[in-house]
């Protein structure tokens, strides 16, 4: 759909604080409501005017219930992206944009909330580790991603330093973000290298956090964005899906070390946005673990494959202000906080709208990469009004 490019925009973002998992006194729904109301304040929007709700990854807060609690005038769109866990985060944004673009809704809230007291332990991983995994002692996402990461290192020749740089970049940015769980807790090479192995080759600091919290954005038609406060972040392109031999095939993928972003999908992303990978100013890369994050950057053409990845993936190159490809500028899942990646959406938008703790100067193109090495993957390209 050529008309999709720039037809919708994000006009508000909101987030709760990120708390250690299981410590919030609020339910998931209460956290979601707080985040949506904060997004409405950001946009100077009456929450009763929201008429659509989208989430992903088995969110327990149904759109109809959230709409009722907000007292909305009408719910016209309520849906959840199936499958893929965090792979659905960008897909949820794309779904909201599609609803607005097609006229099914006018103002859609995209959200994700987690409260362990309600959702239980590892709610985001339920349903994706079946008997073929458990029969071989694979019980956690870290083990699945470790298998793929080890092969990427051994067979593809990507150096382990690339993984460390992803973790270090997130921690570096978190030191300027008072909202980050890792704020005031810097990471250096010795601390990283000497941390315990979780599932080889992944160390402790290669793994995302688990937190209670919520975040939300508001998507409207770009032609209505002037009705809201602040600078809009237009949605230039979005893709989601899985190639044949990926989806839920349980370790039978031919391209085993890819993050799941097959060439046709990535080509649609760039063609839809009317740009190339080289034009991306800043990226929020879903790092459930650092290995999949490196693989997803390679898949998108942001980073060269194989041994050359080590030359590109350095802390200097991945951080503000000097880096050619700053990533995870609020700290990411690893250092800001993990609520199934929704914080990455907020930061991707803030790089265009303003409000980032580590702003990239004159950023016009902001990329969001959803959960890699998941059954479903997705990405979204945000742009400034100057890109239209």
């Amino acid at each position: 759909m050529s008309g999709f490019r720039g037809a919708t925009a994000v006009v508000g973002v909101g987030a709760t604080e990120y708390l250690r998992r299981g410590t919030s006194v609020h339910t998931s729904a209460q956290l979601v409501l707080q985040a949506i109301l904060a997004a409405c304040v950001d946009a100077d929007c009456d929450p009763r005017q929201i008429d659509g709700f989208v989430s992903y990854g088995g969110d327990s807060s149904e759109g109809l219930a959230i709409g009722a609690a907000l007292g909305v005038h009408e719910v016209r769109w309520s849906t959840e992206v199936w499958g893929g866990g965090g792979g659905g985060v960008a897909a949820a944004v794309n779904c909201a944009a599609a609803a607005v673009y097609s006229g099914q809704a006018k103002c859609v809230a995209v959200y994700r909330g987690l409260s362990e007291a309600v959702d239980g332990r590892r709610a985001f991983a339920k349903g994706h580790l079946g008997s073929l995994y458990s029969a071989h002692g694979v019980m956690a996402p870290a083990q699945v991603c470790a298998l793929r990461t080890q092969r990427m290192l051994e067979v593809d020749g990507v150096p382990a330093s690339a993984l460390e740089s992803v973790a270090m970049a997130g921690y570096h940015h978190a030191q300027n973000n008072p909202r980050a769980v890792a704020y005031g807790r810097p990471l250096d090479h010795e601390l990283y290298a000497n941390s315990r192995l979780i599932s080889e080759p992944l160390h402790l600091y290669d793994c995302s956090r688990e937190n209670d919290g919520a975040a939300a954005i508001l998507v409207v038609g770009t032609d209505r964005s002037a009705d809201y406060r602040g600078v809009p972040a237009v949605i230039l392109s979005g893709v989601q899906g899985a190639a044949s031999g990926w989806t839920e095939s349980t370790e039978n993928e031919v391209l085993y070390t890819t993050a799941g972003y097959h060439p046709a999908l990535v080509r649609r992303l760039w063609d839809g946005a009317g740009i190339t990978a080289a034009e991306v100013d800043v990226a929020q890369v879903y790092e459930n673990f650092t290995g999949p994050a490196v693989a997803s950057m390679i898949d998108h053409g942001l980073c060269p494959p194989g041994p050359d990845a080590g030359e590109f993936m350095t802390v200097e190159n991945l951080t503000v202000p000097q880096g050619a490809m700053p990533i995870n500028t609020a700290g990411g899942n690893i250092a800001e906080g993990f609520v199934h990646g929704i914080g990455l959406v907020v930061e991707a938008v803030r790089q265009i709208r303003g409000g980032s703790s580590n702003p990239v100067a004159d950023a016009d193109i902001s990329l969001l990469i959803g959960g890699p090495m998941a059954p479903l993957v997705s990405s979204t390209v945000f742009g400034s009004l100057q890109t239209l």
Side-chain angles (χ1 to χ4, degrees):
M1 295 184 294
S2 60
F4 181 84
R5 183 185 187 276
T8 59
V10 178
V11 294
V13 301
T16 69
E17 63 178 331
Y18 293 147
L19 300 172
R20 185 176 178 85
R21 59 178 178 81
T23 63
S24 177
V25 298
H26 299 293
T27 67
S28 301
Q30 288 170 331
L31 293 169
V32 166
L33 289 166
Q34 290 176 29
I36 292 176
L37 289 173
C40 290
V41 171
D42 183 45
D44 192 20
C45 167
D46 183 345
R48 294 171 297 181
Q49 295 178 346
I50 299 172
D51 58 1
F53 300 91
V54 180
S55 191
Y56 62 97
D59 194 305
S60 61
S61 301
E62 295 183 6
L64 291 174
I66 295 299
L70 290 171
V72 301
H73 299 309
E74 180 185 11
V75 176
R76 298 176 60 189
W77 183 264
S78 179
T79 193
E80 183 173 341
V81 176
W82 282 340
V89 58
V93 178
N94 303 340
C95 183
V100 173
Y101 176 70
S102 64
Q104 295 296 308
K106 293 183 178 180
C107 181
V108 180
V110 180
Y111 61 89
R112 182 73 169 99
L114 284 171
S115 177
E116 188 172 292
V118 172
D119 300 313
R121 183 83 164 90
R122 293 201 301 116
F124 45 83
K126 292 176 181 177
H128 297 297
L129 294 173
S131 58
L132 289 177
Y133 280 119
S134 59
H136 295 87
V138 177
M139 309 295 290
Q143 294 171 295
V144 174
C145 293
L147 288 167
R148 298 169 184 270
T149 300
Q150 187 65 37
R151 178 128 181 191
M152 182 178 71
L153 301 182
E154 290 185 6
V155 176
D156 296 354
V158 173
S161 63
L163 278 62
E164 179 178 350
S165 293
V166 171
M168 296 282 283
Y171 267 81
H172 173 86
H173 289 135
Q175 304 318 302
N176 293 327
N177 179 9
R179 300 182 300 268
V181 176
Y183 178 70
R185 300 172 60 189
L187 179 65
D188 58 28
H189 171 72
E190 288 71 26
L191 185 58
Y192 172 88
N194 293 326
S195 64
R196 69 182 186 272
L197 283 169
I198 300 301
S199 185
E200 191 175 5
L202 302 175
H203 288 257
L204 176 65
Y205 291 102
D206 288 307
C207 304
S208 60
R209 297 171 177 273
E210 294 181 32
N211 297 98
D212 291 349
I217 64 170
L218 300 179
V219 178
V220 303
T222 303
D223 58 353
R224 298 181 58 240
S225 62
D227 296 339
Y228 300 87
R229 179 169 52 201
V231 176
V234 298
I235 298 172
L236 297 177
S237 181
V239 293
Q240 69 183 72
S244 175
W246 187 260
T247 60
E248 295 279 9
S249 58
T250 315
E251 306 306 297
N252 290 327
E253 291 83 8
V254 175
L255 300 176
Y256 188 69
T257 59
T258 178
Y261 296 91
H262 57 91
L265 181 142
V266 174
R267 188 163 54 250
R268 288 199 302 272
L269 178 73
W270 299 137
D271 287 350
I275 63 170
T276 66
E279 295 176 78
V280 174
D281 295 309
V282 58
Q284 308 306 317
V285 183
Y286 192 109
E287 42 10 337
N288 44 2
F289 310 98
T290 56
V294 173
S296 67
M297 292 182 70
I298 293 172
D299 284 358
H300 282 80
L302 303 177
C303 169
D308 290 342
E311 298 297 320
F312 182 87
M313 299 289 287
T314 65
V315 177
E316 293 74 23
N317 211 29
L318 300 180
T319 53
V320 175
Q322 73 277 14
M325 181 48 61
I327 66 169
N328 299 352
T329 46
N333 291 330
I334 284 178
E336 183 187 31
F338 177 84
V339 181
H340 219 172
I342 190 66
L344 297 171
V345 182
V346 169
E347 179 64 11
V349 171
R350 280 179 173 152
Q351 284 292 347
I352 302 296
R353 281 176 53 80
S356 171
S357 54
N358 293 284
V360 173
D362 302 319
D364 283 319
I365 301 292
S366 178
L367 173 65
L368 168 67
I369 299 178
M373 293 187 180
L376 171 79
V377 295
S378 58
S379 295
T380 305
V381 180
F382 300 96
S384 67
L385 287 173
Q386 285 66 40
T387 61
L388 299 181

